[in-house]
Amino acid sequence: MPDAIQLSHVSKAFGSGDARTLALKDATFSAALGELHLVVGPSGCGKTTLLSVAAGTLAWDEGDVTVLGTRLNDLPQPKVTAFRRRHIGFIFQQFNLIPTLDLVENVSVPLLLNGRPRREAEERSAALLQRLGLGGRERKRPTQLSGGQQQRVAIARALVHEPPLLIADEPTSALDRETGHQIMEILSTAARSPNRCVVIVTHDPRTYAYADRLTEMEDGRIAGVHQGQVLQNFIASHH
Amino acid sequence: MFHLALRMLLGDRAKYLMLVGGLTFSALLMTQQNAVFQGLLSWTTSHMRNMRAPIWVVEGRVQQVNETKALRDTDVNRVRSVTGVDFAMPLFQGVLKARATDGSEKLIQMIGLHAGTLFGRPARMLSGNIEQLRVANAVVIDELAAERLGRAPAPGQAPRPLAVGDVFEINDREARVVGLCRTERHFFGYPYVFSTYDQALQFAPRQRKMLSMILASPRPGVPAEVAAAHIEAETGLKAYTVPEFERSTLDWIWKNTGIPASFMTTILLGFIVGVAIAGQTFYSFVLENLRNLGALKAMGASNGLLSAMLLLQAFTVGLVGYGIGLGLTALFGLAVSQGGQPPFLLQPAAVLRTLVAILIICFLAALLGIRKVAKLEPAIVFRG
Ligand SMILES: Nc1ncnc2c1ncn2[C@@H]1O[C@H](COP(=O)(O)OP(=O)(O)OP(=O)(O)O)[C@@H](O)[C@H]1O
Ligand SMILES: [Mg+2]
């Protein structure tokens, strides 16, 4: 399967002097279209940093980053922004829905950013909310919903412009077990229909079973990449 | 996205009201103070509009129309003989004490006009006849004088203004009202009482020199400034055309009184209050929305778009606040236009200047947010 994300020998440091932290150390990572790819590891090991670099929201120090065939190294900042706008859907741990906007308005943002007319944007958003089980709540505010419902709105927002790459940082950590499973089901479906690359950073071993591939990180390095039987063994050892 | 920017702004009721309130206050302070100031400035030259003379001849040191330094009686004839001068008439003006019909003392602006021509006569008579001024002890008074010198028919009742035929005293001399006229309020705030020049000298306390000013007019076809220049050259007196005297009067006010400075201070304060409230509130609005703005940035909103959204939000509260502020100023103006006090002159230029000031305030407020957003790393939204 073609690579959606290709990081090779990427390093990233925060701060300087004594406060300098190497968040990524010579990390090489890839994720493919059509797969749900988990990134796991202990807190502070660099998962979010890896994801941010891959999503083009964070500048890195060394190495090459190619996303969906575009080498981000060579791209000026406004082009990177435009690239994110068209090709990437984002799901955040804290949902990050805008509290003063209703659900349809929240979901319509990526379409509006891509220049779609307001009417079309709202119709498509409402239809997607409906499909994700939020029909009839379109004009509610995010704060009137439960955490799981809010995360579904966030997923709708990430998918509404049908980006080939979906990026999620700890999408289930703020949710209870049952809701977490529902969210993973939706994301896992999103990875397959149509072919899409879904990269999820997670702490949560209960989500491991949804992975097609799993990258393990440790202290800024890639500690291992598991799939197939090895992945099954890894999952078993973490239950 | 712009409709969402407005929704985000209106969604934060408290900040929205705070912003609009602050900018309303600022706009109100700026326009209202400016209008009162301009009104006051217009009073400083109202005397010229009341007298309507094209050339004002005064003692050499006089810089403004509300100041009198007496001339010699012979000066009138000297001015009359200047080339280019059609005619020149003496004018007496002085603040005198009058006794109202209820016995109280009031200050009045006494004007003595040349008896033959009554040059400088009020533009608008409301009742009576100005020609009657030539009768002994006759005066024509303006509405303010009629009101101030009037008497209540019975205790506790509203005073009845003086009317034609009524009598009062100026400096213990009887004055008989033969006409009522309309004037623009004098800078000193005293009501106008017109009489002939010679009659005015009877009312006024005797002094060595009594001629206050000479009102002159150029010959047909001679521009006023040319005639004025001739007068100055040939008599050594100061001769002002109307625009010159207005400018000189305003200059004098700016240089010699604290009036402009105090108004400017208040207007500046309005601006600073606007900057402080709008800047502070808008910045905290941006800070509170930083995660949302970061999320928008991650999703691909450019700095340009986010800046435009912030500008739209800032200008929206600015225009709403400006509109309300201007409305309140107009209401204030309407209220005082009945009483004629304080002075009030709302000029289109001032209205426009306030708009520009408010837009600058909003631009500055938005700029703080724009700087913050430009530096914002979209990656922050991934952090807890
Ligand atoms: N903006 C930053 N400034 C300074 N240090 C940072 C910054 N972001 C991350 N770090 C540091 O880089 C390292 C990796 O951080 P990162 O957030 O990528 O880890 P993580 O695996 O996502 O952790 P967690 O599971 O707790 O979210 C950590 O030591 C962190 O303190
Ligand atoms: Mg993290």
Side-chain angles (χ1 to χ4, degrees), chain A residues 162-173:
Chain A
E162 294 170 356
L165 177 57
L166 197 63
I167 278 185
D169 196 0
E170 314 261 12
T172 61
S173 69

Side-chain angles (χ1 to χ4, degrees), chain B residues 336-353:
Chain B
V336 303
S337 74
Q338 318 297 326
Q341 191 129 20
F344 187 89
L345 183 61
L346 193 54
Q347 295 168 319
V351 170
L352 215 69
R353 269 203 300 276

Side-chain angles (χ1 to χ4, degrees), chain B residues 73-92:
Chain B
D73 291 341
T74 52
D75 287 334
V76 181
N77 277 329
R78 291 174 64 215
V79 173
R80 279 178 180 155
S81 63
V82 171
T83 40
V85 172
D86 192 14
F87 58 85
M89 302 300 162
L91 178 77
F92 171 84

Side-chain angles (χ1 to χ4, degrees), chain B residues 269-293:
Chain B
L269 207 68
F271 185 78
I272 292 171
V273 165
V275 170
I277 297 184
Q280 157 86 40
T281 311
F282 196 75
Y283 192 62
S284 77
F285 172 72
V286 170
L287 286 188
E288 262 172 42
N289 270 297
L290 214 52
R291 286 191 74 81
N292 298 328
L293 294 167

Side-chain angles (χ1 to χ4, degrees), chain B residues 48 53-54 56 224-225 240-250:
Chain B
M48 279 149 83
W56 294 64
E225 49 282 17
Y240 288 103
T241 62
V242 170
E244 281 168 5
F245 213 11
E246 276 177 353
R247 203 174 320 117
S248 178
T249 300
L250 292 179

Side-chain angles (χ1 to χ4, degrees), chain A residues 84-85 90 92 105 113 118, chain B residues 3 7 297-300:
Chain A
R84 286 202 303 272
R85 177 159 72 226
F90 289 90
F92 312 104
E105 288 168 335
L113 288 177
R118 177 172 168 186
Chain B
H3 69 285
R7 293 263 294 148
K297 210 165 169 176
M299 287 187 278

